[in-house]
Amino acid sequence: DAGVTQSPTHLIKTRGQHVTLRCSPISGHKSVSWYQQVLGQGPQFIFQYYEKEERGRGNFPDRFSARQFPNYSSELNVNALLLGDSALYLCASSPRTGNYGYTFGSGTRLTVV
Amino acid sequence: GESVGLHLPTLSVQEGDNSIINCAYSNSASDYFIWYKQESGKGPQFIIDIRSNMDKRQGQRVTVLLNKTVKHLSLQIAATQPGDSAVYFCAETDAGNMLTFGGGTRLMVKP
């Protein structure tokens, strides 16, 4: 069985640009969460989606947005990129909200120059 | 691969010794705790978990201890192997809707 898959694995963007990151959860998992991991730190919660609805949001600016599709895959969008947005963006899926069975993908490494 | 934690506290142990990694958590309402292992270029990998109604749980070569009185969590790895070298994070959650991660500890195993 495929695990959580994220794409792309790496990308480089220029300040002010927009980026879209994609995540496909484990088959049967209906909840997707996004985390940002800056080098040298633990992951920080950005969003959780379940059944296409936002169920939680972390302390991130409105430049960050996300959505979940009917097939439970998800996109994370970041507008007006800043140098400080450079990080590893992780997606985690779980069968449902309030369920503790999180599985993480390998992440997308975003570098903003 | 690139490092996930250039400035993390480091625990260096000899192969075959036992390792103990500690973590302090902040939310008294947290009811579920997880230890993750993260290798360079990869996402966090589940190691072991424990619910707040327990104080100890054992897996294969790993044990997690929970002290709710002082909000402390520890991960014990028996007979540490070179493949255990990685960054280890504890995470806490209440109601399972978001994980709050600790700062991480780098474990280095000397052959």
Side-chain angles (χ1 to χ4, degrees):
Chain A
D1 286 343
V4 178
T5 57
Q6 294 187 242
S7 62
T9 56
H10 296 80
L11 75 165
I12 299 174
K13 290 286 190 177
T14 305
R15 278 180 298 175
Q17 286 189 313
H18 163 91
V19 69
T20 297
L21 310 180
R22 296 177 175 84
C23 172
S24 293
I26 290 173
S27 177
H29 283 194
K30 298 182 178 182
S31 179
V32 170
S33 300
W34 288 95
Y35 288 79
Q36 180 196 65
Q37 187 176 24
V38 174
L39 203 59
Q41 299 180 18
Q44 298 289 316
F45 174 75
I46 309 175
F47 286 110
Q48 185 186 53
Y49 275 78
Y50 176 68
E51 294 282 14
K52 297 174 288 180
E53 292 187 2
E54 182 183 303
R55 295 301 184 96
R57 182 184 182 117
N59 187 24
F60 280 80
D62 291 344
R63 298 184 296 107
F64 289 76
S65 64
R67 55 179 175 169
Q68 187 177 32
F69 299 99
N71 66 353
Y72 303 112
S73 66
S74 178
E75 287 182 352
L76 175 69
N77 296 284
V78 187
N79 292 324
L81 285 166
L82 303 174
L83 296 179
D85 295 330
S86 296
L88 180 68
Y89 288 86
L90 295 162
C91 174
S93 76
S94 62
R96 58 187 182 276
T97 57
N99 181 282
Y100 304 83
Y102 302 97
T103 302
F104 282 85
S106 293
T108 294
R109 169 65 64 186
L110 171 65
T111 302
V112 183
V113 296
Chain B
E2 54 194 49
S3 170
V4 299
L6 294 179
H7 306 292
L8 295 171
T10 298
L11 173 66
S12 184
V13 301
Q14 202 70 39
E15 181 179 358
D17 287 351
N18 297 333
S19 303
I20 299 177
I21 300 172
N22 297 302
C23 175
Y25 66 93
S26 55
N27 186 359
S28 299
S30 291
D31 62 353
Y32 180 65
F33 305 86
I34 314 167
W35 279 101
Y36 286 97
K37 173 186 180 183
Q38 189 172 25
E39 297 172 289
S40 291
K42 298 183 179 180
Q45 177 188 359
F46 173 91
I47 302 174
I48 192 168
D49 58 1
I50 188 169
R51 297 192 182 276
S52 59
N53 61 352
M54 303 172 68
D55 53 21
K56 180 178 181 179
R57 188 161 190 232
Q58 289 184 292
Q60 188 175 16
R61 282 202 308 120
V62 293
T63 301
V64 55
L65 299 177
L66 174 62
N67 185 330
K68 295 182 290 294
T69 302
V70 295
K71 292 189 284 189
H72 183 268
L73 199 64
S74 69
L75 175 70
Q76 301 177 1
I77 304 174
T80 313
Q81 302 169 359
D84 295 326
S85 294
V87 177
Y88 290 81
F89 292 98
C90 66
E92 60 181 297
T93 184
D94 60 353
N97 290 323
M98 61 171 276
L99 294 171
T100 300
F101 284 80
T105 298
R106 176 185 303 281
L107 176 65
M108 296 180 64
V109 182
K110 297 176 287 186

